[in-house]
PDB file of all heavy atoms in Angstrom:
ATOM      1  N   MET B  15      89.424  84.101 106.687  1.00  0.00           N
ATOM      2  CA  MET B  15      90.090  85.285 106.245  1.00  0.00           C
ATOM      3  C   MET B  15      90.575  85.044 104.826  1.00  0.00           C
ATOM      4  O   MET B  15      90.924  83.934 104.456  1.00  0.00           O
ATOM      5  CB  MET B  15      91.262  85.584 107.162  1.00  0.00           C
ATOM      6  CG  MET B  15      91.713  86.985 107.057  1.00  0.00           C
ATOM      7  SD  MET B  15      92.776  87.587 108.381  1.00  0.00           S
ATOM      8  CE  MET B  15      92.573  86.463 109.707  1.00  0.00           C
ATOM      9  N   GLY B  16      90.586  86.084 104.045  1.00  0.00           N
ATOM     10  CA  GLY B  16      90.956  85.931 102.655  1.00  0.00           C
ATOM     11  C   GLY B  16      92.040  86.895 102.243  1.00  0.00           C
ATOM     12  O   GLY B  16      92.596  87.630 103.053  1.00  0.00           O
ATOM     13  N   ARG B  17      92.290  86.882 100.945  1.00  0.00           N
ATOM     14  CA  ARG B  17      93.260  87.815 100.383  1.00  0.00           C
ATOM     15  C   ARG B  17      92.914  88.042  98.918  1.00  0.00           C
ATOM     16  O   ARG B  17      92.281  87.209  98.277  1.00  0.00           O
ATOM     17  CB  ARG B  17      94.681  87.310 100.538  1.00  0.00           C
ATOM     18  CG  ARG B  17      94.983  86.059  99.763  1.00  0.00           C
ATOM     19  CD  ARG B  17      96.379  85.540 100.094  1.00  0.00           C
ATOM     20  NE  ARG B  17      96.644  84.348  99.322  1.00  0.00           N
ATOM     21  CZ  ARG B  17      97.665  84.187  98.513  1.00  0.00           C
ATOM     22  NH1 ARG B  17      98.549  85.149  98.392  1.00  0.00           N
ATOM     23  NH2 ARG B  17      97.828  83.070  97.840  1.00  0.00           N
ATOM     24  N   ILE B  18      93.333  89.188  98.421  1.00  0.00           N
ATOM     25  CA  ILE B  18      93.120  89.522  97.021  1.00  0.00           C
ATOM     26  C   ILE B  18      94.305  88.990  96.235  1.00  0.00           C
ATOM     27  O   ILE B  18      95.458  89.314  96.521  1.00  0.00           O
ATOM     28  CB  ILE B  18      92.962  91.046  96.839  1.00  0.00           C
ATOM     29  CG1 ILE B  18      91.701  91.517  97.569  1.00  0.00           C
ATOM     30  CG2 ILE B  18      92.914  91.409  95.360  1.00  0.00           C
ATOM     31  CD1 ILE B  18      91.524  93.012  97.596  1.00  0.00           C
ATOM     32  N   LEU B  19      94.012  88.151  95.235  1.00  0.00           N
ATOM     33  CA  LEU B  19      95.064  87.555  94.419  1.00  0.00           C
ATOM     34  C   LEU B  19      95.461  88.457  93.256  1.00  0.00           C
ATOM     35  O   LEU B  19      96.609  88.445  92.811  1.00  0.00           O
ATOM     36  CB  LEU B  19      94.609  86.196  93.867  1.00  0.00           C
ATOM     37  CG  LEU B  19      94.289  85.124  94.911  1.00  0.00           C
ATOM     38  CD1 LEU B  19      93.754  83.881  94.217  1.00  0.00           C
ATOM     39  CD2 LEU B  19      95.512  84.806  95.738  1.00  0.00           C
ATOM     40  N   GLY B  20      94.506  89.221  92.750  1.00  0.00           N
ATOM     41  CA  GLY B  20      94.807  90.088  91.619  1.00  0.00           C
ATOM     42  C   GLY B  20      93.686  91.065  91.348  1.00  0.00           C
ATOM     43  O   GLY B  20      92.573  90.902  91.838  1.00  0.00           O
ATOM     44  N   THR B  21      94.002  92.109  90.593  1.00  0.00           N
ATOM     45  CA  THR B  21      93.009  93.114  90.221  1.00  0.00           C
ATOM     46  C   THR B  21      93.138  93.416  88.736  1.00  0.00           C
ATOM     47  O   THR B  21      94.201  93.239  88.135  1.00  0.00           O
ATOM     48  CB  THR B  21      93.195  94.426  91.007  1.00  0.00           C
ATOM     49  OG1 THR B  21      94.483  94.964  90.714  1.00  0.00           O
ATOM     50  CG2 THR B  21      93.050  94.212  92.490  1.00  0.00           C
ATOM     51  N   LYS B  22      92.037  93.877  88.164  1.00  0.00           N
ATOM     52  CA  LYS B  22      92.024  94.279  86.760  1.00  0.00           C
ATOM     53  C   LYS B  22      91.041  95.431  86.631  1.00  0.00           C
ATOM     54  O   LYS B  22      89.938  95.374  87.171  1.00  0.00           O
ATOM     55  CB  LYS B  22      91.588  93.093  85.898  1.00  0.00           C
ATOM     56  CG  LYS B  22      91.632  93.364  84.412  1.00  0.00           C
ATOM     57  CD  LYS B  22      91.402  92.076  83.637  1.00  0.00           C
ATOM     58  CE  LYS B  22      89.989  92.030  83.146  1.00  0.00           C
ATOM     59  NZ  LYS B  22      89.693  90.866  82.295  1.00  0.00           N
ATOM     60  N   THR B  23      91.434  96.491  85.951  1.00  0.00           N
ATOM     61  CA  THR B  23      90.567  97.639  85.728  1.00  0.00           C
ATOM     62  C   THR B  23      89.831  97.468  84.415  1.00  0.00           C
ATOM     63  O   THR B  23      90.435  97.113  83.399  1.00  0.00           O
ATOM     64  CB  THR B  23      91.397  98.945  85.697  1.00  0.00           C
ATOM     65  OG1 THR B  23      92.177  99.042  86.886  1.00  0.00           O
ATOM     66  CG2 THR B  23      90.496 100.160  85.594  1.00  0.00           C
ATOM     67  N   THR B  24      88.525  97.720  84.441  1.00  0.00           N
ATOM     68  CA  THR B  24      87.714  97.614  83.235  1.00  0.00           C
ATOM     69  C   THR B  24      87.667  98.959  82.514  1.00  0.00           C
ATOM     70  O   THR B  24      88.110  99.985  83.057  1.00  0.00           O
ATOM     71  CB  THR B  24      86.285  97.152  83.561  1.00  0.00           C
ATOM     72  OG1 THR B  24      85.646  98.174  84.342  1.00  0.00           O
ATOM     73  CG2 THR B  24      86.280  95.839  84.321  1.00  0.00           C
ATOM     74  N   LYS B  25      87.080  98.982  81.327  1.00  0.00           N
ATOM     75  CA  LYS B  25      86.983 100.215  80.538  1.00  0.00           C
ATOM     76  C   LYS B  25      86.108 101.266  81.207  1.00  0.00           C
ATOM     77  O   LYS B  25      86.282 102.453  80.989  1.00  0.00           O
ATOM     78  CB  LYS B  25      86.448  99.901  79.145  1.00  0.00           C
ATOM     79  CG  LYS B  25      87.421  99.124  78.296  1.00  0.00           C
ATOM     80  CD  LYS B  25      86.836  98.811  76.935  1.00  0.00           C
ATOM     81  CE  LYS B  25      87.817  97.964  76.143  1.00  0.00           C
ATOM     82  NZ  LYS B  25      87.264  97.565  74.853  1.00  0.00           N
ATOM     83  N   ASP B  26      85.130 100.821  82.006  1.00  0.00           N
ATOM     84  CA  ASP B  26      84.238 101.780  82.676  1.00  0.00           C
ATOM     85  C   ASP B  26      84.689 102.091  84.103  1.00  0.00           C
ATOM     86  O   ASP B  26      83.884 102.429  84.971  1.00  0.00           O
ATOM     87  CB  ASP B  26      82.787 101.294  82.627  1.00  0.00           C
ATOM     88  CG  ASP B  26      82.596  99.930  83.253  1.00  0.00           C
ATOM     89  OD1 ASP B  26      83.598  99.255  83.546  1.00  0.00           O
ATOM     90  OD2 ASP B  26      81.435  99.544  83.451  1.00  0.00           O
TER      91      ASP B  26
END
Side-chain angles (χ1 to χ4, degrees):
M15 199 164 342
R17 65 186 181 124
I18 296 173
L19 298 176
T21 61
K22 184 171 101 176
T23 306
T24 65
K25 291 179 183 176
D26 58 349

